[in-house]
């Protein structure tokens, strides 16, 4: 393939991916041109590629994907005073309208008119050059690398989930799913003082990695021969025989129907299940009356808000364990399509795949 000045990975409306040249835009008022140095591949990128939608978010045409990113400032547009060329930044990918009642209330993560990078029609970060509003860029301290910066987005998702779950010192939690979000959730839960922390998955290799990554947590391999209640009973047994000690907080990080059902039966009476994972548009088999009779709250999160400065602070101070061991594979930008194909291939295990663009870039 010939050299591309601005190679980009795009998902098409007919469920294809293509690596093509993208235009390089000049930063406008309040905007910054960033050289993207690292972008993590997210499960949502795979969803958009394979299904063309997540709920009401639909790909009606070609769109550059990617939203877990960090880079370096190349140019600043008019009115930008808090950033300058050479600054290393993490990208908060959602740009809310700032005019609706939700933005006025500070709940900008729920803004219906958000321009979210990598969600059609808004160009994402798997490209060399991206223009982004300076307000939604966050400076990286010298101690954090671009790879760290790209991990701030999934960490922000987790921090929102922990906020909704109200985790605290000594409060037990079960985390369903040992993928990147689940593993980061386990690390963040441990940092919050939650105890015990149990992470579940059906894949023994992921649980083995989880034990190496976080030796102080417990793991449970879901048994496919058991129903949701059977697996929940086995998970609860890890917390002891006393009903009081049963987990009152569950973070469901897969979005898979069977896992959500197991989570519902795992939480103790009066407990809380927070669904962090992305699932099917309609899920029919949630045990409604069990949740009702046990007064178990079922809550959801939509991305994050006001998490980036705190996430940077926690990561830089070492409050949360180093997350870079989660990065199992890196690919150069020119092979970004291979990165996505690896993530989608269940026969080739991976955890967090990251696309990097090393070296200097000029425009």
């Amino acid at each position: 393939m010939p050299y591309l000045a601005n190679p980009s990975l795009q998902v098409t409306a007919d469920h294809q991916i293509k690596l093509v040249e993208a235009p390089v835009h000049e930063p406008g008022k309040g905007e910054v041109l960033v050289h993207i140095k690292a972008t993590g591949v997210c499960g949502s990128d795979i969803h958009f590629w394979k299904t063309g939608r997540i709920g009401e978010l639909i790909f009606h045409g070609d769109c550059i994907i990617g939203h877990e990113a960090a880079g370096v400032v190349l140019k600043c547009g008019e009115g930008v005073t808090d950033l300058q060329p050479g600054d290393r930044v993490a990208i908060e990918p959602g740009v809310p309208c700032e005019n609706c009642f939700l933005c006025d209330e500070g709940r900008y993560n729920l803004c219906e008119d958000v321009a979210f990078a990598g969600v059609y029609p808004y160009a994402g970060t798997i490209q060399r050059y991206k223009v982004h509003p300076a307000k939604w860029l966050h400076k990286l301290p010298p101690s954090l690398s671009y790879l760290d910066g790209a991990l701030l987005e999934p960490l922000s998702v987790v921090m929102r989930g922990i906020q909704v779950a109200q985790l605290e010192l000594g409060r037990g939690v079960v985390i369903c799913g040992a993928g990147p979000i689940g593993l980061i959730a386990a690390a963040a839960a441990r940092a919050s003082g939650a105890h015990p922390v149990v992470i579940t998955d059906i894949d023994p290799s992921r649980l083995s990695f989880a034990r190496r990554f976080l030796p102080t947590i417990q793991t449970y391999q879901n048994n496919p021969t058991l129903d949701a209640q059977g697996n929940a009973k086995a998970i609860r047994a890890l917390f002891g025989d006393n009903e009081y000690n049963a987990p009152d907080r569950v973070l469901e990080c897969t979005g898979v129907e069977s896992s959500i059902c197991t989570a519902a039966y795992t939480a103790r009476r009066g407990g809380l299940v927070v669904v962090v994972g992305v699932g099917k548009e309609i899920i029919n088999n949630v045990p409604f009356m069990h949740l009702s009779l046990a007064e178990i709250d079922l809550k959801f999160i939509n991305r994050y808000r006001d998490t980036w400065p705190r996430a940077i602070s926690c990561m830089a101070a070492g409050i949360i364990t180093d997350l870079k061991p989660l990065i199992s594979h890196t690919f150069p930008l020119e092979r970004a399509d291979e990165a996505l194909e690896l993530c989608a291939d269940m026969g080739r295990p991976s955890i967090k795949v990251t696309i990097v663009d090393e070296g200097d870039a000029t425009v």
Side-chain angles (χ1 to χ4, degrees):
M1 176 179 292
Y3 175 78
L4 300 178
N6 189 26
S8 70
L9 185 66
Q10 302 185 11
V11 163
T12 69
D14 61 347
H15 313 306
Q16 305 297 315
I17 53 173
K18 59 181 181 180
L19 192 63
V20 297
E21 178 86 14
V24 180
H25 300 286
E26 285 292 316
K29 185 176 181 180
E31 294 180 332
V32 168
L33 178 65
V34 180
H35 173 201
I36 306 296
K37 303 289 283 185
T39 296
V41 179
C42 176
S44 64
D45 299 320
I46 307 300
H47 274 277
F48 283 132
W49 170 25
K50 294 297 185 179
T51 69
R53 67 184 301 162
I54 295 177
E56 298 173 354
L57 306 175
I58 303 172
F59 270 53
H60 294 292
D62 298 357
C63 184
I64 299 171
I65 57 171
H67 58 275
E68 302 178 1
V72 59
V73 173
L74 294 181
K75 291 183 180 181
C76 296
E78 179 187 351
V80 176
T81 59
D82 55 347
L83 292 172
Q84 60 184 3
D87 283 343
R88 300 162 60 255
V89 294
I91 297 176
E92 184 170 352
V95 180
C97 76
E98 300 189 77
N99 294 313
C100 67
F101 76 95
L102 291 163
C103 288
D104 288 344
E105 293 175 356
R107 296 189 293 167
Y108 67 83
N109 61 311
L110 301 180
C111 174
E112 290 189 275
D113 293 325
V114 62
F116 198 91
V119 177
Y120 181 88
Y122 306 106
T125 60
I126 305 182
Q127 57 178 322
R128 179 163 290 133
Y129 304 110
K130 175 172 172 54
V131 168
H132 201 72
K135 179 177 180 178
W136 304 102
L137 297 173
H138 304 274
K139 287 185 183 180
L140 291 173
S143 61
L144 296 186
S145 68
Y146 293 117
L147 293 176
D148 290 317
L151 287 163
L152 287 166
E153 198 277 345
L155 176 56
S156 284
V157 172
V158 165
M159 289 178 71
R160 177 61 182 156
I162 283 180
Q163 180 185 44
V164 172
Q166 299 178 317
L167 285 191
E168 60 186 5
L169 191 68
R171 172 168 270 170
V173 62
V174 172
I175 295 160
C176 301
I181 291 293
L183 290 164
I184 294 174
R190 171 57 73 212
S192 77
H195 179 78
V197 177
V198 174
I199 190 167
T200 73
D201 205 283
I202 198 167
D203 184 345
S205 66
R206 291 211 165 187
L207 295 176
S208 177
F209 176 86
R211 289 190 292 272
R212 296 194 303 273
F213 179 57
L214 296 166
T216 60
I217 68 171
Q218 299 181 68
T219 61
Y220 174 78
Q221 184 178 351
N222 289 300
N223 186 341
T225 67
L226 297 177
D227 61 10
Q229 289 169 290
N231 276 302
K233 182 178 180 180
I235 295 167
R236 288 163 66 106
L238 297 175
F239 289 76
D241 297 329
N242 190 325
E243 171 67 17
Y244 177 80
N245 293 327
D248 67 344
R249 295 293 186 267
V250 181
L251 294 176
E252 204 300 305
C253 297
T254 73
V256 175
E257 181 176 306
S258 60
S259 183
I260 295 172
C261 291
T262 298
Y265 287 114
T266 298
R268 78 180 187 188
R269 296 175 71 84
L272 170 63
V273 176
V274 179
V275 179
V276 178
V278 174
K280 297 187 297 184
E281 186 171 3
I282 302 294
I283 293 179
N284 296 311
N285 295 318
V286 173
F288 174 78
M289 283 311 303
H290 170 74
L291 293 168
S292 175
L293 293 173
E295 285 194 4
I296 295 171
D297 289 337
L298 180 62
K299 293 189 175 183
F300 302 84
I301 68 162
N302 182 28
R303 298 170 179 151
Y304 31 72
R305 62 174 182 260
D306 303 319
T307 55
W308 292 79
R310 291 186 291 118
I312 290 171
S313 178
C314 286
M315 191 179 283
I319 301 301
I320 189 168
T321 189
D322 182 14
L323 300 179
K324 289 192 294 299
L326 298 177
I327 300 174
S328 58
H329 300 78
T330 59
F331 286 81
L333 177 58
E334 290 80 4
R335 294 169 53 203
D337 52 342
E338 296 178 39
L340 220 65
E341 288 165 353
L342 172 62
C343 287
D345 187 348
M346 300 302 293
R348 293 188 292 163
S350 64
I351 299 177
K352 172 57 71 176
V353 177
T354 302
I355 297 161
V356 298
D357 193 30
E358 298 177 348
D360 298 328
T362 57
V363 291

